[in-house]
Amino acid sequence: MNNKFLTCSALLLTFFVAGNLSAQEKPTEKPENLSVYRVTPTKINDLVHTKLDVSFDYAKRYLYGKEWVTLKPHFYPTDSLTLDAQGMDIKTVALVGIKGNTPLKYVYNNNKLYINLNKKYTKQEKYTIYIAYTAKPDELKVKGSAAITDAKGLYFINPDGTDKDKPTQIWTQGETESSSAWFPTIDKPDQKTTQEISMTVKSKYTTLSNGKLVSQKPNTDGTRTDTWKMDLPHSPYLFMMAIGDFKITKDTYKGKEVNYYLEPKYAPYAKQIFGKTPEMMKFYSETLGLDYPWNKYAQVVARDYVSGAMENTTATLHGEQIQKTDRELLDGNEEGIIAHELFHQWFGDYVTAESWSNLTMNESFATFGEIIWQGHDAGKDAEDKLRYEKLQSYISSTKNGESPVLARFHYADKEDMFDNVSYAKGSVILYALKNQMGDAAFYQSLNKYLTTNAFKNGETHQLRLAMEEVTGKDWSPYFNQWYYNGGHPILAIDYGYQNGKATIKVKQTQDSSVQTFTLPVKVDIYAAGKKIRKEIIIDKREETFSFDVSSKPDLIDFDADKIIVGEMNDNKVAEDYYFQYKNAPSYANRLEALQFIMQSKAKSGQQVLLAALKDSSGDLRALSIAGLNLEDAQIKAAALPVLLQLAKTDRDTEVRAAAISKLGETGDQTYKSLMSESLKDRSYRVIAAGISGLAKLAPKESISTLSALDQDTKDHIAPSIAELYIGDPKDEHQEFYTNIMDKGDRNKVFAVIGQYFQYLRANTNPAVTEKGIKNIKDAIERLKLQPYLNKRLSSAYEATAQGKSKQAGAASGEDKKNLMKQAEIFKKAAVDLGKES
């Protein structure tokens, strides 16, 4: 599972800061009163084979199913079987025999199907149960989570075709335990079964499922029955179906089918979106020493998906954010998600986490897979950048070094496991382990873990044992610290020099309830034109290290490989950072230096920012642009020619946009033509920057210029338009926001909802206020965003009500009346949301 809002944009928690709403990561919450130890489910019966024959009622949103499920007792003899079956009508339960089916007694209660078998079976005996049933997912009362926003298993998208802007589709989502909403099964990750699914669908539709398409049979009623067969066992939550008007683009890897299923509009760009998949398969196969283990790999894009993407075995399902036109791809792709889901085919599908407590064995590895792919494909800077972002993503969701345990056997709900600990923190813990162990030993250990547990389940102890067998070293201390204890170190570091000795004082300042960490650290000391590497081990709350050096160091680069999973605060000064940028040029060091310079605003640092305009990393070039102080005449004179060149020719659209925006901030009318020219660019990001720049140089012109843009461009630069309308809060702009609230997906709504609030706050028409607040409320309910927005919106509305009331006190006549009415509307909205929070 790659949750779009967890990895790239993080989980959908939001907040208002100075009136702006933006996406934030889900905080990793310290568990309280979690007394239940989440044991791995006991196996009484084992799934062996699951055969399904399904058809669909689009009007009722029903699935009509027939199932033949073969099982055997795991060890102890048994005469009963319990299956998970959520929200179904059970029609028939029978034992399949040579001479026909024998009805069996059963009880269906609380989404469980309790079956009395005809005799006591031993572990050597298989038996097959036939079940006829109707699945009613839309009538199922279930709740999702921040990571997976719904849990009804089977989804009918626009089944009656009333939404002309949306295709009709059916798709499934099994994780965590929702496959049992569309077929009875033992819905636990420690079960493995082969499968065969026959789907009867309208002939115009394309189908996709796990494994191989073995037959397509046309029927006389305008339908067709497609049968997909999976000969290798996998867990029930990885079963999938997708049905819709998909166009297939074919690719291959070593003779195996690699196909991309997209809406016809996006099919021409399939190779641009997914085209690196075969190379990813090759890279992962060679890195792990285990060739891609399945008979095909497909990727399909679905509408209204409830998460980011899902690694169904041989058939990944992506949310619609991944399908883009060639123009959209100019401003970035979702390659990380593609890599993440593919790596799951080894870690998650081939070997599956034994329980949700061991989710790290799926998600930490898949996130790690993203990182190493970036390094392979785009170089070390790209790898280090993504690794840094994962670490910061985790840290930003914590406080005082506290966070839950990675291998977590105490949690309130299994959905809670899909957080920044299982994904981001787990990935950098693996990377740090690779650094300590060495690449060859690390990847050989992963191979050992995968091959030993092939088509079975794994947990963290099995990973540790594989590593110990390969390396001959006891890795228990590492696993005890990082997998079985929570939190991370916060290090206060003081550097000193006296009498030919460089000193490093280290204090672990994380909360006293958090463990004291043992950290092997590599330190690079730059002195007298040389770099000396030292290796130290930190294992106390406070300690001091000293080293003989020939002169005062120009820089001490603590944690030179940047692998510490934690926070560091040190006493470096400006000159240290200037030296660091030029001479210790890891991605993290360069970024850290630039961030310091921007925060300090020291004039001396501006020369470093000027140099960084030519940094090899696009995001660091863009950061440098943002930090330039153009109020300094000398810096301005040096920067403007470079900025103009970057605005016109940089290969990275983020850099071009940043340069255009910076030039717009100068107020210099000379750059009006640049802004106008930017509106002809193919990059939406560059166009958005041009609009924003024009708004600063010629506000009235920028508003009129919008009318000349085509609707496609307007849709793609909606956040910039939304920002523009805050300064021009006319009543007629309400329609722009209304359209996004009514039809936009989560990403689009989150991109403008903060600006919409500010527009409503700036507008003076109570009718606009009332309509706007209703629009926002309807969007929140449509997209199920109440847990993330209601409390924050309530506070923002309350503050706005007070502000309007204060304004009314100084007004008169119609203005006073309108302001008082607006204050009442905001106040009521705040109270209503407060009740729902």
Side-chain angles (χ1 to χ4, degrees):
M1 169 71 64
N2 182 299
N3 184 271
K4 170 76 174 174
F5 311 106
L6 183 75
T7 53
C8 302
S9 300
L11 288 171
L12 290 174
L13 286 173
T14 56
F15 61 96
F16 278 97
V17 178
N20 283 314
L21 187 72
S22 58
Q24 265 256 338
E25 304 231 348
K26 177 190 175 187
T28 52
E29 299 172 357
K30 184 178 180 180
E32 296 179 0
N33 301 321
L34 300 180
S35 59
V36 178
Y37 183 89
R38 303 290 180 173
V39 297
T40 301
T42 300
K43 289 184 176 182
I44 298 172
N45 287 282
D46 289 343
L47 295 171
V48 176
H49 182 67
T50 304
K51 180 180 178 181
L52 300 171
D53 187 344
V54 301
S55 60
F56 307 93
D57 187 325
Y58 283 75
K60 293 181 178 179
R61 304 188 184 199
Y62 287 176
L63 175 150
Y64 301 118
K66 299 175 182 177
E67 176 177 28
W68 295 262
V69 56
T70 302
L71 309 99
K72 67 180 184 64
H74 181 75
F75 185 83
Y76 299 105
T78 185
D79 58 4
S80 66
L81 169 65
T82 301
L83 297 176
D84 300 295
Q86 301 185 57
M88 297 179 180
D89 289 342
I90 304 297
K91 309 292 187 182
T92 304
V93 177
L95 181 74
V96 176
I98 297 174
K99 296 181 179 180
N101 293 350
T102 303
L104 295 175
K105 292 181 179 180
Y106 67 92
V107 174
Y108 182 50
N109 189 28
N110 293 327
N111 292 331
K112 298 281 188 180
L113 183 57
Y114 302 95
I115 302 170
N116 294 323
L117 302 176
N118 63 321
K119 68 167 192 170
K120 187 168 282 190
Y121 286 83
T122 68
K123 65 178 182 178
Q124 287 80 26
E125 295 177 287
K126 296 178 184 178
Y127 60 91
T128 299
I129 303 295
Y130 169 75
I131 304 170
Y133 64 97
T134 301
K136 303 178 177 181
D138 280 47
E139 299 175 19
L140 186 61
K141 304 298 181 186
V142 290
K143 69 182 183 72
S145 66
I148 307 167
T149 60
D150 206 325
K152 61 185 181 182
L154 175 67
Y155 298 80
F156 289 82
I157 307 303
N158 194 27
D160 51 12
T162 53
D163 187 341
K164 302 304 179 186
D165 297 323
K166 187 178 294 184
T168 296
Q169 297 176 346
I170 296 174
W171 47 263
T172 60
Q173 165 57 35
E175 195 170 39
T176 48
E177 295 173 9
S178 298
S179 285
S180 52
W182 62 277
F183 66 96
T185 189
I186 304 174
D187 206 352
K188 300 297 178 186
D190 64 343
Q191 289 284 341
K192 296 270 183 167
T193 171
T194 53
Q195 78 177 62
E196 182 178 327
I197 301 180
S198 295
M199 288 176 266
T200 299
V201 301
K202 295 177 182 178
S203 296
K204 64 180 180 179
Y205 291 135
T206 298
T207 70
L208 175 65
S209 187
N210 315 92
K212 185 177 180 61
L213 179 62
V214 294
S215 72
Q216 291 188 297
K217 176 187 173 185
N219 303 313
T220 57
D221 60 354
T223 65
R224 187 186 70 250
T225 300
D226 289 359
T227 299
W228 293 81
K229 194 170 183 181
M230 184 82 177
D231 291 327
L232 298 173
H234 65 145
S235 295
Y237 80 89
L238 296 166
F239 279 40
M240 74 85 68
M241 297 186 296
I243 300 155
D245 182 18
F246 301 116
K247 185 172 177 58
I248 304 172
T249 300
K250 296 186 175 182
D251 214 336
T252 61
Y253 167 72
K254 288 190 172 181
K256 295 181 179 181
E257 290 184 8
V258 177
N259 295 335
Y260 317 126
Y261 292 65
L262 289 156
E263 293 173 33
K265 172 186 174 181
Y266 294 96
Y269 316 109
K271 289 289 182 75
Q272 290 169 265
I273 299 167
F274 294 117
K276 290 184 180 179
T277 301
E279 174 57 29
M280 288 181 184
M281 297 170 78
K282 179 175 183 288
F283 169 64
Y284 288 150
S285 294
E286 292 175 352
T287 299
L288 297 170
L290 174 65
D291 202 25
Y292 177 77
W294 311 102
N295 60 2
K296 74 126 190 316
Y297 188 56
Q299 295 176 86
V300 60
V301 182
R303 290 292 190 101
D304 296 349
Y305 185 51
V306 294
S307 189
M310 181 63 208
E311 67 275 11
N312 309 298
T313 315
T314 77
T316 286
L317 190 149
H318 290 281
E320 63 197 85
Q321 69 277 357
I322 206 163
Q323 59 184 3
K324 299 182 179 184
T325 65
D326 57 341
R327 280 191 71 185
E328 291 171 315
L329 289 166
L330 291 173
D331 297 326
N333 58 22
E334 302 292 345
E335 194 174 299
I337 295 177
I338 295 170
H340 181 109
E341 303 310 325
L342 178 59
F343 207 66
H344 265 310
Q345 299 296 316
W346 286 267
F347 288 91
D349 297 4
Y350 189 69
V351 182
T352 306
E354 187 176 45
S355 68
W356 302 118
S357 293
N358 284 286
L359 185 65
T360 179
M361 300 309 298
N362 291 5
E363 297 301 347
S364 300
F365 273 100
T367 310
F368 170 82
E370 294 177 51
I371 295 171
I372 61 172
W373 165 254
Q374 277 296 307
H376 172 78
D377 184 61
K380 192 171 190 310
D381 255 10
E383 179 173 307
D384 289 348
K385 174 179 182 288
L386 185 55
R387 183 162 56 94
Y388 177 86
E389 289 171 348
K390 299 299 183 188
L391 176 60
Q392 298 309 312
S393 172
Y394 158 69
I395 288 173
S396 67
S397 62
T398 66
K399 186 177 180 181
N400 300 326
E402 296 178 316
S403 65
V405 176
L406 186 54
R408 201 177 321 162
F409 294 92
H410 293 88
Y411 53 78
D413 189 292
K414 59 186 180 298
E415 306 294 341
D416 297 342
M417 292 298 299
F418 293 80
D419 63 6
N420 263 326
V421 174
S422 295
Y423 286 76
K425 183 185 183 185
S427 70
V428 290
I429 284 171
L430 284 169
Y431 200 97
L433 182 55
K434 179 173 80 75
N435 182 275
Q436 288 187 33
M437 191 179 289
D439 283 10
F442 179 79
Y443 288 119
Q444 192 172 327
S445 297
L446 299 194
N447 175 273
K448 184 70 178 176
Y449 167 80
L450 289 169
T451 54
T452 300
N453 302 290
F455 305 111
K456 295 187 292 188
N457 296 86
E459 56 180 298
T460 50
H461 289 295
Q462 288 164 308
L463 176 65
R464 175 181 59 81
L465 292 170
M467 290 175 166
E468 290 178 357
E469 184 171 344
V470 168
T471 65
K473 178 180 177 180
D474 186 350
W475 288 97
S476 293
Y478 191 91
F479 278 75
N480 289 338
Q481 177 168 279
W482 291 112
Y483 282 84
Y484 310 128
N485 278 285
H488 64 265
I490 302 177
L491 305 180
I493 308 163
D494 289 316
Y495 308 110
Y497 175 76
Q498 192 172 8
N499 301 324
K501 288 186 179 291
T503 58
I504 305 174
K505 295 180 181 180
V506 183
K507 183 178 181 180
Q508 297 193 34
T509 65
Q510 63 271 18
D511 191 89
S512 59
S513 65
V514 179
Q515 62 179 310
T516 298
F517 286 84
T518 297
L519 305 168
V521 179
K522 296 170 185 174
V523 179
D524 286 345
I525 301 174
Y526 293 80
K530 296 180 180 179
K531 181 178 77 171
I532 306 164
R533 172 155 290 194
K534 300 291 184 180
E535 296 189 14
I536 61 176
I537 294 179
I538 299 167
D539 57 7
K540 299 179 181 66
R541 282 278 168 164
E542 292 187 54
E543 49 196 318
T544 300
F545 303 89
S546 64
F547 310 95
D548 293 327
V549 291
S550 57
S551 61
K552 182 180 179 181
D554 297 301
L555 175 71
I556 297 178
D557 185 13
F558 187 86
D559 185 28
D561 290 345
K562 309 306 174 193
I563 64 160
I564 289 179
V565 182
E567 304 172 62
M568 285 176 281
N569 305 295
D570 56 29
N571 66 342
K572 283 188 288 192
V573 297
E575 287 72 20
D576 294 324
Y577 286 109
Y578 304 160
F579 183 92
Q580 177 175 305
Y581 180 82
K582 296 175 183 176
N583 299 282
S586 69
Y587 174 86
N589 273 343
R590 281 151 46 219
L591 174 61
E592 184 184 53
L594 296 177
Q595 288 174 333
F596 172 84
I597 292 166
M598 291 176 69
Q599 290 168 2
S600 70
K601 298 182 180 178
K603 182 174 181 178
S604 56
Q606 290 289 309
Q607 293 298 324
V608 179
L609 292 180
L610 286 171
L613 294 177
K614 298 179 181 179
D615 196 283
S616 59
S617 173
D619 67 305
L620 296 188
R621 294 198 298 278
L623 183 67
S624 302
I625 291 169
L628 287 170
N629 178 15
L630 298 187
E631 293 180 5
D632 182 307
Q634 185 179 359
I635 298 301
K636 185 176 182 179
L640 288 181
V642 183
L643 288 174
L644 186 60
Q645 188 67 25
L646 292 173
K648 291 180 176 180
T649 63
D650 198 277
R651 63 184 181 276
D652 191 314
T653 61
E654 181 185 6
V655 176
R656 283 161 53 206
I660 290 166
S661 297
K662 195 71 174 182
L663 292 170
E665 290 172 7
T666 64
D668 189 337
Q669 296 295 308
T670 304
Y671 299 114
K672 261 183 67 177
S673 60
L674 172 68
M675 304 302 150
S676 298
E677 195 63 28
S678 299
L679 303 186
K680 301 174 186 176
D681 203 279
R682 292 199 77 229
S683 162
Y684 298 114
R685 181 184 279 155
V686 170
I687 294 171
I691 285 288
S692 297
L694 200 57
K696 294 179 178 69
L697 299 177
K700 292 182 179 179
E701 223 174 289
S702 65
I703 294 290
S704 61
T705 301
L706 285 178
S707 61
L709 298 177
D710 61 84
Q711 190 58 47
D712 174 73
T713 300
K714 290 179 184 177
D715 290 343
H716 282 85
I717 66 167
S720 292
I721 297 174
E723 191 74 30
L724 201 61
Y725 287 162
I726 296 170
D728 183 47
K730 294 177 181 175
D731 293 0
E732 58 262 34
H733 297 329
Q734 170 97 291
E735 184 180 354
F736 163 79
Y737 294 105
T738 298
N739 184 56
I740 295 173
M741 294 299 112
D742 286 349
K743 298 181 180 180
D745 61 18
R746 286 185 159 213
N747 291 333
K748 291 175 181 175
V749 167
F750 269 99
V752 305
I753 197 170
Q755 293 96 317
Y756 192 10
F757 163 72
Q758 292 181 75
Y759 162 81
L760 294 174
R761 189 172 59 181
N763 182 274
T764 57
N765 185 343
V768 169
T769 307
E770 195 161 33
K771 170 66 172 170
I773 286 176
K774 184 179 184 303
N775 284 342
I776 291 174
K777 184 175 186 294
D778 290 346
I780 289 172
E781 291 177 353
R782 177 173 65 85
L783 298 171
K784 300 180 180 179
L785 303 178
Q786 293 92 335
Y788 321 117
L789 287 177
N790 278 4
K791 187 174 181 180
R792 292 161 180 80
L793 277 171
S794 179
S795 298
Y797 287 167
E798 175 64 34
T800 304
Q802 293 175 8
K804 292 284 184 180
S805 295
K806 187 175 181 180
Q807 288 176 337
S812 60
E814 193 67 21
D815 288 344
K816 183 182 185 75
K817 181 181 175 182
N818 285 340
L819 286 166
M820 289 301 296
K821 179 64 175 174
Q822 284 186 302
E824 290 173 13
I825 295 169
F826 276 113
K827 178 70 175 177
K828 183 179 183 302
V831 172
D832 290 344
L833 287 178
K835 291 176 181 177
E836 296 175 13
S837 297

